[in-house]
Amino acid sequence: MAIPLKRNKISAIQLTLSLSLCSTFITPAFAQDTLILADAYIDVAKGKSVDNAAIIISNNHIVKVTTAANITNKADYSLIDLKGKTLVPGVMDMHVHLSGDAEDNFLESMNYSVPRQTVKAVKNAQKTLLAGFTTVRDLGASGYSVIATRDGIDAGDIPGPRIWAVGHAIGITGGHCDDNFPAPEAHAKAQGVADGPLEVRTKVRENIKYGANAIKVCATGGVFSKGTQVGAQQMTYEELKSAADEAHMRGLVIAAHAHGTSGIKDAIRAGIDSIEHCSFMDDEAIKMAIKAGTYLSCDIYNTEYTLAYGAANGVPEANINKEKQVSQAQRDSFRKAVKAGAKMVFGSDAAIYPHGDNGKQFSRMVTFGMTPVQALQAATINSAALIKQDNLGQIKAGFLADIIAVDGNPLDNISLMENVTFVMKNGVVYKKR
């Protein structure tokens, strides 16, 4: 597979940079408009499949969506023939951690340097893109490693999805987003630690200073931290409100890690835009989210990986036990939220399981209450709405040309989303097989 680099500086080296995963080609940069023909495309807004798809792309935008019968001058275009495939808008994952790998030893990986984590993020950004995820939100990494990765992608230096990156996740001393594993004499402290509304606001500003284009706070305990009760609230309402107000004043979307009921409710009251994990939601919390328009992001696939491989990867028994505590509750909360009509986005927590396997969550979303259309909408139009991008998430004239394809129709078999065979991001083909 060839991976295109800078769009406006095409060289022989860039055109032949090869990987072994699949056979791919690169369309000439804006030499002529591109025509994609396929068996069908998914209109996610209307929730249906449209047969005999013909999509015309100029530069990096979709300019026309029609059917093959309406194209009489195919020779005028650079043709991409995807017979037997269905086109889907490039999908989005609103909860990843690109700088970490689930396969690494859990405790040893905590000592990785920021440069090492940046290398991981570069690798995992490429894997994520080739899995069909053309946009992601990274919800916490050390040393601004993912912000540097994002900037490298935007500059055309490396391949990867569009990234909204929070920098350091913000949380209290000794909380889920602190570094609690080293001995006390090490005086370890995560870079996102803040106590009290003023410190929290200052930390939001610091993240923005160094390039964050999203914000995350840790409202409750979590599964993979030491010494935290997974459902216990950690940040006060006042702290959460301070973070939300500062983020919104600066035009950024803010997420809250929140497993426990009281933390979820205070995060909603504080004006947080999305709740991550949502493990212990009661009916009142769901009603509050619906009334406030808060998005819910439930990572309901990764528990399978943790329970199957966590011990072999060095995850301590205490953390595996916490995963057992939340796994069924989270899936029950997901089912209730879907049934109630809450706004849902696709968030996988990739890094807790291997990057590139993001698509495995689609089938679990359907198993636990969504239709295939709803699962795709969560990863397209809903996610685009959360991050306030009105030119992403649909195959529609005027939208950016983020288009993927699978063999067959995912509305008939959502598991097809685990094997994306074509990836175009911003009008550039990164994968075709």
Side-chain angles (χ1 to χ4, degrees):
M1 153 179 51
I3 298 295
L5 298 178
K6 290 184 181 293
R7 294 173 60 88
N8 298 320
K9 296 180 180 179
I10 303 298
S11 68
I13 292 175
Q14 290 169 333
L15 290 173
T16 56
L17 178 62
S18 296
L19 300 173
S20 60
L21 293 177
C22 62
S23 174
T24 268
F25 66 91
I26 304 169
T27 54
F30 308 155
Q32 63 182 141
D33 289 352
T34 297
L35 171 64
I36 302 177
L37 298 177
D39 283 12
Y41 80 94
I42 304 300
D43 184 332
V44 289
K46 295 181 178 178
K48 66 178 185 179
S49 173
V50 180
D51 291 339
N52 301 313
I55 316 297
I56 299 174
I57 296 159
S58 182
N59 295 339
N60 63 338
H61 280 77
I62 298 168
V63 295
K64 189 172 185 179
V65 179
T66 184
T67 61
N70 292 324
I71 304 296
T72 59
N73 52 340
K74 295 179 185 178
D76 292 345
Y77 300 96
S78 174
L79 178 63
I80 300 176
D81 190 348
L82 298 178
K83 183 179 180 180
K85 300 181 188 293
T86 299
L87 306 179
V88 180
V91 286
M92 309 182 196
D93 192 334
M94 292 292 99
H95 192 137
V96 303
H97 298 280
L98 293 171
S99 62
D101 276 322
E103 305 95 320
D104 290 349
N105 181 273
F106 181 78
L107 295 176
E108 288 180 8
S109 65
M110 292 183 180
N111 293 315
Y112 286 167
S113 67
V114 170
R116 183 73 182 97
Q117 292 180 61
T118 306
V119 171
K120 291 273 187 183
V122 169
K123 177 199 69 172
N124 291 328
Q126 179 177 302
K127 291 179 69 174
T128 301
L129 176 62
L130 296 181
F133 288 80
T134 54
T135 300
V136 300
R137 187 173 55 156
D138 189 284
L139 291 185
S142 298
Y144 307 105
S145 53
V146 173
I147 288 175
T149 302
R150 178 202 67 199
D151 292 348
I153 293 167
D154 291 348
D157 298 329
I158 54 176
R162 287 181 196 79
I163 298 175
W164 270 256
V166 306
H168 301 124
I170 300 168
I172 66 167
T173 297
H176 176 65
C177 290
D178 197 0
D179 183 4
N180 303 330
F181 282 93
E185 56 268 27
H187 302 292
K189 182 179 180 180
Q191 292 168 296
V193 167
D195 298 303
L198 180 58
E199 283 191 14
V200 167
R201 187 178 287 269
T202 300
K203 190 59 66 173
V204 172
R205 291 173 176 175
E206 182 180 292
N207 275 331
I208 297 172
K209 175 181 178 179
Y210 294 114
N213 56 350
I215 298 295
K216 177 191 174 182
V217 292
C218 294
T220 75
V223 171
F224 287 91
S225 52
K226 180 180 179 181
T228 71
Q229 297 179 33
V230 69
Q233 185 167 346
Q234 294 183 343
M235 295 184 77
T236 66
Y237 166 79
E238 291 77 14
E239 289 171 324
L240 294 167
K241 185 72 163 58
S242 179
D245 286 350
E246 184 66 28
H248 292 155
M249 185 172 69
R250 304 292 293 276
L252 272 59
V253 171
I254 181 169
H257 160 106
H259 284 281
T261 308
S262 64
I264 291 170
K265 291 178 180 178
D266 266 357
I268 295 169
R269 293 187 186 103
I272 300 291
D273 298 297
S274 72
I275 308 299
E276 311 300 309
H277 308 300
C278 315
S279 295
F280 302 109
M281 284 197 301
D282 61 14
D283 291 340
E284 182 186 27
I286 294 172
K287 289 177 181 178
M288 289 174 63
I290 293 171
K291 183 177 180 179
T294 309
Y295 287 85
L296 305 179
S297 172
C298 306
D299 47 317
I300 58 172
Y301 163 67
N302 63 32
T303 186
E304 299 173 33
Y305 182 88
T306 298
L307 297 182
Y309 301 103
N313 293 338
V315 177
E317 184 178 2
N319 299 95
I320 293 175
N321 287 338
K322 285 199 284 184
E323 180 61 47
K324 293 176 181 177
Q325 179 185 349
V326 304
S327 58
Q328 188 58 50
Q330 186 184 48
R331 289 173 166 186
D332 291 343
S333 292
F334 177 87
R335 192 188 296 275
K336 288 192 299 182
V338 171
K339 186 176 181 179
K343 292 182 177 180
M344 311 286 285
V345 296
F346 186 107
S348 70
D349 212 359
I352 302 303
Y353 68 90
H355 294 278
D357 284 352
N358 311 57
K360 290 183 178 180
Q361 179 159 293
F362 281 109
S363 64
R364 278 60 174 187
M365 294 169 84
V366 171
T367 297
F368 292 98
M370 283 188 171
T371 65
V373 164
Q374 288 176 316
L376 291 177
Q377 289 172 334
T380 53
I381 54 176
N382 291 5
S383 290
L386 169 60
I387 58 174
K388 304 185 187 307
Q389 299 301 301
D390 59 6
N391 61 351
L392 294 175
Q394 296 187 57
I395 298 176
K396 183 178 179 180
F399 279 57
L400 290 175
D402 284 13
I403 299 172
I404 63 176
V406 296
D407 296 333
N409 193 322
L411 298 187
D412 298 328
N413 179 9
I414 195 64
S415 295
L416 295 175
M417 295 300 297
E418 298 173 20
N419 185 27
V420 171
T421 58
F422 174 84
V423 176
M424 171 184 280
K425 175 200 159 198
N426 212 36
V428 177
V429 175
Y430 288 85
K431 179 179 184 180
K432 182 176 185 293
R433 70 167 189 244

